[in-house]
mmCIF file of all heavy atoms in Angstrom:
data_model
loop_
_atom_site.group_PDB
_atom_site.id
_atom_site.type_symbol
_atom_site.label_atom_id
_atom_site.label_comp_id
_atom_site.label_asym_id
_atom_site.label_seq_id
_atom_site.Cartn_x
_atom_site.Cartn_y
_atom_site.Cartn_z
ATOM 1 N N VAL A 110 62.001 -6.838 74.916
ATOM 2 C CA VAL A 110 62.433 -7.926 75.790
ATOM 3 C C VAL A 110 61.604 -9.196 75.562
ATOM 4 O O VAL A 110 62.064 -10.299 75.822
ATOM 5 C CB VAL A 110 62.396 -7.490 77.282
ATOM 6 C CG1 VAL A 110 60.966 -7.314 77.772
ATOM 7 C CG2 VAL A 110 63.143 -8.468 78.165
ATOM 8 N N TYR A 111 60.396 -9.036 75.010
ATOM 9 C CA TYR A 111 59.501 -10.173 74.782
ATOM 10 C C TYR A 111 59.609 -10.765 73.374
ATOM 11 O O TYR A 111 58.831 -11.633 73.010
ATOM 12 C CB TYR A 111 58.043 -9.751 75.018
ATOM 13 C CG TYR A 111 57.746 -9.296 76.417
ATOM 14 C CD1 TYR A 111 57.347 -7.991 76.664
ATOM 15 C CD2 TYR A 111 57.862 -10.159 77.502
ATOM 16 C CE1 TYR A 111 57.066 -7.553 77.941
ATOM 17 C CE2 TYR A 111 57.589 -9.741 78.786
ATOM 18 C CZ TYR A 111 57.184 -8.432 78.994
ATOM 19 O OH TYR A 111 56.911 -8.016 80.267
ATOM 20 N N HIS A 112 60.546 -10.325 72.582
ATOM 21 C CA HIS A 112 60.590 -10.739 71.182
ATOM 22 C C HIS A 112 61.407 -11.996 70.907
ATOM 23 O O HIS A 112 61.232 -12.604 69.853
ATOM 24 C CB HIS A 112 61.121 -9.599 70.306
ATOM 25 C CG HIS A 112 60.205 -8.421 70.264
ATOM 26 N ND1 HIS A 112 60.495 -7.300 69.544
ATOM 27 C CD2 HIS A 112 59.008 -8.172 70.856
ATOM 28 C CE1 HIS A 112 59.526 -6.413 69.694
ATOM 29 N NE2 HIS A 112 58.606 -6.934 70.487
ATOM 30 N N ASN A 113 62.315 -12.378 71.779
ATOM 31 C CA ASN A 113 63.190 -13.519 71.494
ATOM 32 C C ASN A 113 62.864 -14.711 72.396
ATOM 33 O O ASN A 113 63.408 -14.859 73.474
ATOM 34 C CB ASN A 113 64.663 -13.130 71.652
ATOM 35 C CG ASN A 113 65.578 -14.269 71.246
ATOM 36 O OD1 ASN A 113 65.242 -15.101 70.416
ATOM 37 N ND2 ASN A 113 66.753 -14.320 71.852
ATOM 38 N N SER A 114 61.999 -15.561 71.912
ATOM 39 C CA SER A 114 61.596 -16.747 72.665
ATOM 40 C C SER A 114 62.607 -17.870 72.470
ATOM 41 O O SER A 114 62.876 -18.279 71.338
ATOM 42 C CB SER A 114 60.227 -17.220 72.190
ATOM 43 O OG SER A 114 59.980 -18.526 72.659
ATOM 44 N N LEU A 115 63.115 -18.388 73.578
ATOM 45 C CA LEU A 115 63.966 -19.579 73.503
ATOM 46 C C LEU A 115 63.132 -20.803 73.149
ATOM 47 O O LEU A 115 63.607 -21.718 72.485
ATOM 48 C CB LEU A 115 64.686 -19.798 74.832
ATOM 49 C CG LEU A 115 65.667 -18.710 75.275
ATOM 50 C CD1 LEU A 115 66.237 -19.041 76.648
ATOM 51 C CD2 LEU A 115 66.776 -18.545 74.258
ATOM 52 N N MET A 116 61.872 -20.816 73.578
ATOM 53 C CA MET A 116 61.016 -21.983 73.371
ATOM 54 C C MET A 116 60.635 -22.164 71.906
ATOM 55 O O MET A 116 60.452 -23.289 71.442
ATOM 56 C CB MET A 116 59.740 -21.881 74.209
ATOM 57 C CG MET A 116 59.949 -21.645 75.687
ATOM 58 S SD MET A 116 61.187 -22.698 76.468
ATOM 59 C CE MET A 116 62.042 -21.471 77.450
ATOM 60 N N SER A 117 60.515 -21.064 71.170
ATOM 61 C CA SER A 117 60.134 -21.158 69.758
ATOM 62 C C SER A 117 61.128 -21.986 68.965
ATOM 63 O O SER A 117 60.770 -22.583 67.940
ATOM 64 C CB SER A 117 60.031 -19.766 69.137
ATOM 65 O OG SER A 117 58.949 -19.060 69.683
ATOM 66 N N LYS A 118 62.359 -22.034 69.427
ATOM 67 C CA LYS A 118 63.402 -22.765 68.719
ATOM 68 C C LYS A 118 63.207 -24.280 68.783
ATOM 69 O O LYS A 118 63.770 -25.014 67.973
ATOM 70 C CB LYS A 118 64.772 -22.371 69.247
ATOM 71 C CG LYS A 118 65.158 -20.952 68.787
ATOM 72 C CD LYS A 118 65.709 -20.127 69.921
ATOM 73 C CE LYS A 118 66.054 -18.731 69.504
ATOM 74 N NZ LYS A 118 64.936 -17.812 69.367
ATOM 75 N N VAL A 119 62.380 -24.746 69.738
ATOM 76 C CA VAL A 119 62.145 -26.186 69.871
ATOM 77 C C VAL A 119 60.670 -26.555 69.725
ATOM 78 O O VAL A 119 60.338 -27.735 69.704
ATOM 79 C CB VAL A 119 62.701 -26.729 71.212
ATOM 80 C CG1 VAL A 119 64.208 -26.533 71.275
ATOM 81 C CG2 VAL A 119 62.036 -26.088 72.407
ATOM 82 N N ALA A 120 59.793 -25.563 69.627
ATOM 83 C CA ALA A 120 58.354 -25.819 69.527
ATOM 84 C C ALA A 120 57.969 -26.248 68.118
ATOM 85 O O ALA A 120 58.554 -25.807 67.127
ATOM 86 C CB ALA A 120 57.576 -24.569 69.916
ATOM 87 N N THR A 121 56.968 -27.091 68.043
ATOM 88 C CA THR A 121 56.383 -27.490 66.770
ATOM 89 C C THR A 121 55.587 -26.329 66.174
ATOM 90 O O THR A 121 55.603 -26.104 64.972
ATOM 91 C CB THR A 121 55.442 -28.700 66.988
ATOM 92 O OG1 THR A 121 56.158 -29.723 67.674
ATOM 93 C CG2 THR A 121 54.891 -29.219 65.675
ATOM 94 N N ALA A 122 54.876 -25.599 67.054
ATOM 95 C CA ALA A 122 54.029 -24.485 66.626
ATOM 96 C C ALA A 122 53.974 -23.451 67.742
ATOM 97 O O ALA A 122 54.266 -23.763 68.901
ATOM 98 C CB ALA A 122 52.626 -24.979 66.297
ATOM 99 N N VAL A 123 53.597 -22.231 67.352
ATOM 100 C CA VAL A 123 53.471 -21.132 68.308
ATOM 101 C C VAL A 123 52.116 -20.470 68.096
ATOM 102 O O VAL A 123 51.731 -20.180 66.961
ATOM 103 C CB VAL A 123 54.590 -20.083 68.118
ATOM 104 C CG1 VAL A 123 54.417 -18.921 69.092
ATOM 105 C CG2 VAL A 123 55.959 -20.725 68.269
#
Side-chain angles (χ1 to χ4, degrees):
V110 70
Y111 298 116
H112 294 180
N113 185 28
S114 165
L115 297 177
M116 306 313 136
S117 292
K118 287 134 182 78
V119 298
T121 307
V123 178

